[in-house]
């Protein structure tokens, strides 16, 4: 009886490793395990073949390949349609099943090779590619239904002991599917390593093999590479076609173009595979760090990549298409090696930023990987050109303020010394500024600026003196050129000169070069491109260097004035009208219509013409002529009586009028003085104002001469000398037209 007719029963829902099925064949009852060769069907399976291309593209070759691969596709579909116990029985006990599955990932085109031109071929290829991924995904699935399942421990032993999954298989899956199915491959890798931890040790051994392969590639193209021992490759390693295993450190055979092409493709495959493997399974970074794998990448990049370019030029034909293709493979391999280092660093950087695990240990691991990358020059130089090192370090500093600043300063100094560029101002923290790897404390307290106030020439002269204290034989001009190249850092200049590590642009300069002052004519020529000697060069009207000359300021001939004369200027009320709106906001300007009224009587507007105020309206005491100023008209007794009467008429002051009117007070004092004079006081003698004097020739008195002199001095205040003042007063009173 055919086993395909036997139905698998698991009523107790036991795992597959504990299930046995009773099978009656020709009257004989047998107990068959769920996973057993009994369940394997006799079916012919074929291997995958890559589609024909180039010289293989003969008439009918594509049709033959399509017919064969359709059969291969049917075999894959048949395998996936099997129940779990039959599927695993076929995988384990069919002699061609796993070879059929693995043949695709070994023969399929890697991502860096273009797809097929034929749409039918590409469609069939993509369908096969999809089913292969489904098969490998099913191989790590332990439970498909309630009756079809197995324990994870049993599955781990199956895939490891029977070599279902190996590190080469996992790496091939990364290369084939990691570019466009990274999430699915990441899930597959995590499942494999979590189910069977033994694969961790296999990864270590695989990385050691890759390190030896990298050394092997270097020895094939670099005769000057010093290695302690030849690459320790296994005897089963047949190399790449014509490559022979080196017997010692130095290669003896000449590398041909085909051999070189195989070396480059192998390097590209390995670099791309490792980059994707670290990306989809980040725990690989820790394994690489423990095995010093970064040093192998650095060595290959330093001593292998440049020699591969040189060897390609030596053995290749630069006019051929294959030469250009192989050269592109080297460029792509360089990019993959740089990205591999980036992915290793990204594992620790993401863990730090996401606060996963021990942050301090992750920071230390990041710095350790970066220190390994600094062991040679080329890799870190190209890495820094793609990904700025100081930006990552500043980001880590913000996430972890306790980072070791000594290591970060050393890393930045090493990076920028390799690329011969000045170190940018990178803040390590709020109070520290990195300059040439040295930490300089900056005072954040308010105070006068120091660097900004120092002129450039003074600063340059100070730095030149600092360098000449150590190297007095150098010229000032040479030192200035070095300072300009190294960001005006005297320590870097001294270090580069003493270590004979100057940049290429400085090596050809004369070390005794003096400082040549800059010619202002040359500076003007560089700014404008016009060589002229004129004091007006570059001014606002220089049409030779400016395109925005204000033509409104330029006129030909005598400029026409706005006003003909002073009267015309005074009659121009334009500015007054323009400012009327400003003063109107403060009620300082009124319309003439509002000011003028025909019914207004201005008869008494002039001073001294207005009628006297009504005496009844004055609330003050009426004015009384003092007795001393009155003409005596009777005997003293009457005058006394009259004075008493006047005093009686004077109203008494109110208690509220405690402050005497100053006018009244002055009037009283004047009245008292006059009264005393009237009672017998001698009046002052009359002043002599005679200016005529005696006739001429009889002499003049001294007083007459003094009067003449006084009259001469004060004559302008009297007579006809105040006509202007009088006319001005009349005009103000409206008596004269203006």
């Amino acid at each position: 009886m055919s086993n395909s007719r036997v139905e698998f029963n698991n009523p107790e829902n036991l795992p597959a490793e504990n299930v046995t099925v009773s099978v009656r064949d020709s009257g004989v009852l047998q107990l068959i395990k769920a996973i057993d060769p009994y369940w394997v069907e006799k079916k012919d399976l074929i291997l995958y073949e890559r589609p024909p291309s180039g010289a293989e593209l003969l008439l009918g070759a594509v049709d033959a390949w399509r017919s064969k691969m359709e059969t291969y596709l049917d075999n894959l579909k048949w395998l996936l349609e099997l129940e779990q116990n039959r599927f695993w029985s076929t995988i384990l006990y069919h002699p061609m099943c796993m070879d059929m599955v693995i043949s695709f990932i070994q023969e399929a085109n890697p991502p860096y090779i273009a797809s097929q031109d034929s749409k039918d071929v590409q469609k069939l290829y993509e369908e096969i590619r999809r089913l292969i991924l489904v098969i490998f995904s099913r191989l790590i699935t332990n439970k498909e239904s309630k009756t079809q399942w197995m324990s994870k421990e049993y599955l781990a032993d199956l895939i490891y002991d029977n070599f279902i999954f190996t590190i080469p298989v996992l790496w091939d899956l990364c290369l084939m599917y990691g570019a466009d199915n990274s999430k699915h491959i990441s899930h597959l890798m995590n499942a494999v390593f979590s189910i069977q931890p033994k694969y961790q040790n296999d990864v270590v051994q695989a990385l050691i093999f890759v390190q030896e392969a990298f050394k092997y590639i270097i020895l094939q193209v670099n005769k000057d590479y010093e290695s302690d021992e030849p690459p320790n490759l296994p005897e089963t390693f047949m190399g790449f076609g014509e490559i022979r295993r080196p017997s010692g450190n130095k290669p003896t055979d000449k590398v041909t173009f085909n051999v070189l092409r195989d070396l480059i493709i192998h390097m590209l495959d390995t670099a791309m595979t490792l980059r994707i493997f670290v990306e989809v399974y980040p725990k690989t970074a820790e394994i690489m760090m423990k095995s010093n794998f970064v040093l192998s990448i650095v060595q290959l990049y330093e001593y292998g990549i440049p020699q591969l370019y040189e060897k390609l030029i030596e053995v290749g034909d630069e006019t051929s298409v294959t030469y250009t293709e192989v050269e592109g493979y080297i460029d792509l391999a360089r990019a993959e090696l740089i990205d591999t280092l980036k992915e290793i660093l990204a594992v620790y950087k993401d863990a730090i930023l996401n606060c996963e695990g021990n942050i301090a240990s992750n920071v230390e691991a990041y710095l350790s990987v970066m220190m390994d990358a600094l062991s040679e020059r080329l890799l870190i130089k190209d890495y820094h050109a793609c990904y700025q090192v100081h930006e990552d370090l500043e980001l880590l500093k913000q996430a972890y303020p306790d980072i070791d600043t000594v290591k970060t300063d050393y890393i930045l100094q090493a990076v920028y010394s390799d690329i011969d560029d000045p170190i940018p101002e990178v803040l390590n923290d709020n109070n520290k500024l990195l300059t040439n790897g040295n930490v300089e404390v900056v005072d954040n307290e308010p105070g006068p600026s120091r660097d900004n106030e120092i002129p450039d020439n003074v600063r340059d002269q100070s730095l030149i003196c600092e360098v000449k204290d150590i190297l007095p034989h150098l010229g000032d001009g040479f030192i200035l050129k070095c300072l300009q190249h190294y960001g005006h850092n005297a320590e870097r200049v001294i270090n580069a000169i003493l270590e004979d590590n100057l940049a290429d642009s400085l090596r050809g300069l004369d070390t005794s070069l003096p400082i040549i002052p800059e010619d202002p004519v040359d500076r003007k020529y560089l700014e404008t491109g016009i060589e002229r000697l004129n004091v007006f060069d570059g001014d606002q009207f220089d049409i030779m260097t400016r395109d925005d000359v204000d033509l409104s300021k330029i006129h030909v001939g005598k400029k026409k004035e706005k006003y003909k004369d002073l009267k015309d200027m005074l009659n121009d009320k334009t500015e007054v009208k323009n400012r009327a709106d400003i003063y109107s906001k403060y009620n300082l300007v009124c319309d003439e219509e509002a000011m003028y009224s025909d019914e207004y009587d201005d008869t008494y507007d002039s001073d001294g013409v207005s009628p006297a105020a009504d005496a009844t309206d004055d609330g003050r005491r009426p004015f009384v002529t003092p007795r001393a100023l009155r003409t005596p008209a009777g005997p003293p007794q009457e005058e006394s009586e009259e004075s008493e009467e006047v005093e009686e008429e004077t109203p008494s002051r109110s208690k509220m009028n405690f402050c005497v009117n100053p006018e009244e007070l002055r009037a009283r004092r004047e009245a008292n003085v006059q009264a005393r004079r009237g009672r017998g006081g001698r009046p002052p003698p009359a002043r002599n104002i005679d200016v005529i004097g005696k006739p001429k020739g009889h002499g003049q008195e001294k007083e007459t001469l003094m009067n003449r002199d006084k009259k001469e001095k004060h004559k302008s205040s009297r007579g006809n000398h105040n006509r202007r003042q009088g006319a001005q007063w009349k005009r103000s009173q409206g008596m004269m037209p203006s």
Side-chain angles (χ1 to χ4, degrees):
M1 183 176 65
S2 175
N3 58 9
S4 59
R5 298 180 181 179
V6 178
E7 183 179 358
F8 176 79
N9 293 321
N10 185 15
E12 298 180 0
N13 298 331
L14 298 175
E17 63 270 22
N18 298 331
V19 176
T20 56
V21 181
S22 300
V23 178
R24 185 179 297 276
D25 187 9
S26 301
V28 178
L29 184 64
Q30 299 179 359
L31 297 177
I32 308 298
K33 294 182 178 180
I35 299 177
D36 190 81
Y38 175 81
W39 306 105
V40 178
E41 297 184 17
K42 295 180 180 181
K43 186 176 182 64
D44 295 333
L45 303 178
I46 61 175
L47 303 179
Y48 175 81
E49 296 179 2
R50 65 181 59 186
S53 61
E56 302 175 355
L57 194 59
L58 303 176
L59 182 62
V62 175
D63 294 336
W65 178 87
R66 186 187 303 112
S67 176
K68 191 172 183 179
M69 290 302 102
E70 287 177 353
T71 303
Y72 181 83
L73 182 62
D74 293 338
N75 292 337
L76 297 179
K77 293 180 179 179
W78 165 81
L79 181 62
L80 287 172
E81 290 174 356
L82 296 176
E83 296 180 348
Q84 187 187 39
N85 70 310
R86 295 179 182 273
F87 172 80
W88 274 102
S89 298
T90 305
I91 290 292
L92 294 175
Y93 302 114
H94 196 289
M96 290 294 296
C97 185
M98 280 306 299
D99 293 339
M100 175 190 69
V101 176
I102 294 176
S103 64
F104 175 79
I105 60 176
Q106 291 177 340
E107 297 295 329
N109 294 332
Y112 54 84
I113 295 181
S115 58
Q116 299 294 326
D117 296 335
S118 175
K119 293 183 179 180
D120 296 338
V121 173
Q122 185 64 25
K123 183 178 179 180
L124 181 59
Y125 172 82
E126 291 296 336
E127 181 64 19
I128 294 174
R129 183 171 180 268
R130 184 185 68 83
L131 293 181
I132 291 295
L133 182 59
V134 174
I135 290 174
F136 278 106
S137 300
R138 188 177 182 182
L139 289 174
I140 60 169
T141 304
N142 67 311
K143 186 174 183 179
E144 298 180 3
S145 65
K146 292 182 179 181
T147 58
Q148 301 281 337
W149 67 284
M150 62 180 67
S151 63
K152 291 185 178 181
E153 294 77 10
Y154 182 71
L155 177 62
D157 294 336
L158 282 182
I159 62 176
Y160 190 80
D161 296 339
N162 296 280
F163 301 97
I164 303 299
F165 283 101
T166 61
I167 298 303
V169 170
L170 295 176
W171 284 0
D172 287 340
L173 288 173
C174 291
L175 183 63
M176 288 302 305
Y177 299 99
D180 53 353
N181 290 281
S182 58
K183 291 184 178 180
H184 190 90
I185 294 298
S186 177
H187 174 72
L188 189 147
M189 295 296 162
N190 287 304
V192 170
F193 283 97
S194 61
I195 291 174
Q196 183 53 272
K198 293 181 181 180
Y199 284 111
Q200 300 283 349
N201 296 328
D202 293 350
V203 173
V204 176
Q205 298 300 321
L207 290 177
I208 294 175
F209 176 83
V210 173
Q211 288 177 311
E212 299 298 326
F214 282 172
K215 185 189 299 183
Y216 184 84
I217 294 174
I218 297 174
L219 289 173
Q220 292 295 320
V221 295
N222 192 343
K223 297 180 180 180
D224 299 328
Y225 179 67
E226 296 292 339
S227 178
D228 297 335
E229 57 185 10
N232 186 21
L233 297 173
E235 294 297 333
T236 56
F237 181 75
M238 301 303 295
F240 311 95
E242 303 175 9
I243 300 179
R244 298 180 181 179
R245 290 175 55 80
S247 57
N249 291 349
K250 306 297 181 182
T252 57
D253 298 335
K254 182 179 179 181
V255 178
T256 63
F257 180 79
N258 291 332
V259 172
L260 184 65
R261 181 175 181 273
D262 291 341
L263 285 173
I264 294 171
I265 291 178
H266 174 69
M267 180 182 65
L268 175 58
D269 277 342
T270 305
M272 185 176 292
T273 300
L274 291 175
R275 191 263 301 171
I276 297 176
F277 187 57
V278 177
E279 182 181 354
V280 299
Y281 187 62
K283 294 182 180 179
T284 310
E286 184 178 355
I287 302 175
M288 288 183 173
M289 189 181 69
K290 291 180 179 179
S291 60
N292 295 325
F293 188 78
V294 176
L295 292 176
S296 298
I297 297 177
V298 173
Q299 294 287 324
L300 176 63
Y301 204 95
E302 183 78 17
Y303 302 106
I305 296 295
Q307 286 69 25
L308 286 173
Y309 282 112
E310 295 176 0
K311 188 64 68 174
L312 180 61
I313 296 175
E314 179 182 345
V315 302
D317 182 9
E318 298 183 11
T319 61
S320 64
V321 178
T322 309
Y323 178 92
T324 306
E325 183 182 57
V326 174
E327 187 178 21
Y329 289 161
I330 301 178
D331 296 338
L332 187 57
R334 289 178 59 188
E336 291 297 334
L337 290 174
I338 294 173
D339 288 343
T340 301
L341 177 61
K342 171 183 172 294
E343 292 297 336
I344 296 173
L345 293 172
V347 171
Y348 299 106
K349 185 171 67 174
D350 293 342
I352 295 169
L353 298 179
N354 297 329
C355 299
E356 298 176 358
N358 190 346
I359 298 180
S361 61
N362 289 328
V363 171
E364 187 66 26
Y366 180 94
L367 296 178
S368 299
V369 174
M370 187 61 72
M371 299 284 281
D372 291 341
L374 290 172
S375 59
E376 298 295 343
R377 182 175 182 177
L378 289 181
L379 179 60
I380 195 63
K381 181 178 180 180
D382 290 349
Y383 176 84
H384 180 71
C386 300
Y387 312 102
Q388 297 294 317
V389 175
H390 64 270
E391 294 180 358
D392 289 345
L393 293 179
E394 179 63 21
L395 192 63
L396 294 182
K397 177 61 181 175
Q398 296 176 5
Y400 185 69
D402 297 333
I403 192 172
D404 190 351
T405 55
V406 176
K407 289 186 178 180
T408 57
D409 296 348
Y410 172 78
I411 290 172
L412 283 177
Q413 182 181 7
V415 169
Y416 281 94
S417 63
D418 285 341
I419 62 178
D420 294 331
D421 285 345
I423 301 178
E425 295 182 354
V426 180
L427 290 175
N428 287 335
D429 53 26
N430 294 333
N431 297 324
K432 294 182 180 179
L433 183 66
L434 178 66
T435 55
N436 191 29
N438 298 323
V439 178
E440 178 183 357
V441 178
V442 179
D443 188 7
N444 288 333
E445 295 181 359
S449 176
R450 291 172 292 180
D451 295 338
N452 296 333
E453 295 178 356
I454 301 176
D456 293 341
N457 56 347
V458 177
R459 180 196 60 180
D460 293 342
Q461 191 62 37
S462 175
L463 294 175
I464 290 173
C465 294
E466 184 178 348
V467 176
K468 294 195 73 172
D469 290 342
I470 307 298
L471 305 169
H473 65 284
L474 299 178
D476 293 353
F478 176 76
I479 297 175
L480 182 60
K481 293 287 186 182
C482 296
L483 288 171
Q484 292 173 353
H485 181 81
Y486 288 102
H488 295 86
N489 194 305
E491 295 180 0
R492 291 194 66 197
V493 173
I494 296 172
N495 183 59
I497 294 174
L498 293 178
E499 294 183 357
D500 194 17
N501 192 24
L502 282 174
D504 296 336
S505 59
L506 300 175
R507 291 182 179 274
L509 297 179
D510 184 8
T511 56
S512 61
L513 181 68
I515 293 180
I516 302 175
E518 184 181 8
D519 190 352
V521 177
D522 295 340
R523 183 175 69 252
K524 193 68 179 178
Y525 175 74
L526 293 175
E527 293 177 357
T528 62
I530 301 174
E531 185 176 3
R532 292 193 297 157
L533 298 176
N534 195 304
V535 295
F536 300 107
D537 286 350
D539 63 4
Q540 59 177 336
F541 301 112
D542 188 1
I543 61 175
M544 304 298 294
T545 60
R546 297 173 62 94
D547 297 330
D548 55 347
V549 178
D550 189 1
L551 298 179
S552 63
K553 298 181 180 180
I554 302 175
H555 63 276
V556 180
K558 185 177 180 181
K559 187 175 181 180
K560 184 180 179 180
E561 298 293 340
K562 185 176 180 181
Y563 305 106
K564 295 185 296 182
D565 50 16
L566 180 60
K567 183 178 180 181
D568 189 16
M569 183 180 68
L570 294 175
N571 291 335
D572 185 10
K573 306 299 182 182
T574 304
E575 294 297 330
V576 178
K577 294 179 180 179
N578 292 338
R579 288 169 172 76
D581 57 338
I582 299 177
Y583 292 101
S584 63
K585 297 179 181 179
Y586 301 97
N587 296 326
L588 297 179
V589 178
C590 301
D591 297 336
E592 294 182 358
E593 296 179 358
M595 295 175 59
Y596 179 75
S597 177
D598 292 339
E599 299 179 358
Y600 179 73
D601 185 7
D602 57 353
T603 305
Y604 302 102
D605 283 353
S606 300
D607 294 342
V609 184
S610 58
D614 190 359
T616 58
D617 297 336
D618 191 359
R620 295 179 297 174
R621 185 179 60 179
F623 178 75
V624 178
T625 304
R627 289 176 295 177
L629 298 180
R630 296 179 183 177
T631 304
Q637 185 177 1
E638 295 178 359
E639 182 179 352
S640 177
E641 293 177 357
E642 184 179 359
S643 176
E644 292 177 358
E645 293 177 359
V646 173
E647 291 178 358
E648 292 177 359
E649 293 177 0
T650 303
S652 60
R653 282 190 298 172
S654 173
K655 293 183 180 180
M656 297 301 294
N657 296 333
F658 53 86
C659 183
V660 182
N661 189 352
E663 294 180 358
E664 297 178 5
L665 186 60
R666 287 195 296 271
R668 291 176 191 170
R669 290 177 181 176
E670 184 66 22
N672 293 334
V673 172
Q674 295 297 333
R676 285 195 298 271
R677 290 179 180 176
R679 293 192 187 103
R682 181 182 301 176
R687 185 171 176 271
N688 185 11
I689 58 174
D690 182 23
V691 295
I692 299 176
K694 297 178 181 181
K696 187 176 182 181
H698 292 75
Q700 302 294 336
E701 295 181 359
K702 182 179 180 180
E703 188 175 359
T704 302
L705 296 176
M706 293 177 60
N707 290 337
R708 289 179 180 179
D709 184 60
K710 186 175 181 181
K711 179 180 180 181
E712 180 68 22
K713 290 181 179 180
H714 299 283
K715 67 180 182 179
S716 61
S717 61
R718 297 177 179 274
N720 297 328
H721 298 283
N722 58 352
R723 286 175 294 181
R724 178 180 297 177
Q725 182 178 0
Q728 185 177 359
W729 181 82
K730 289 182 179 181
R731 189 179 293 109
S732 64
Q733 300 301 323
M735 300 179 184
M736 297 175 59
S738 57

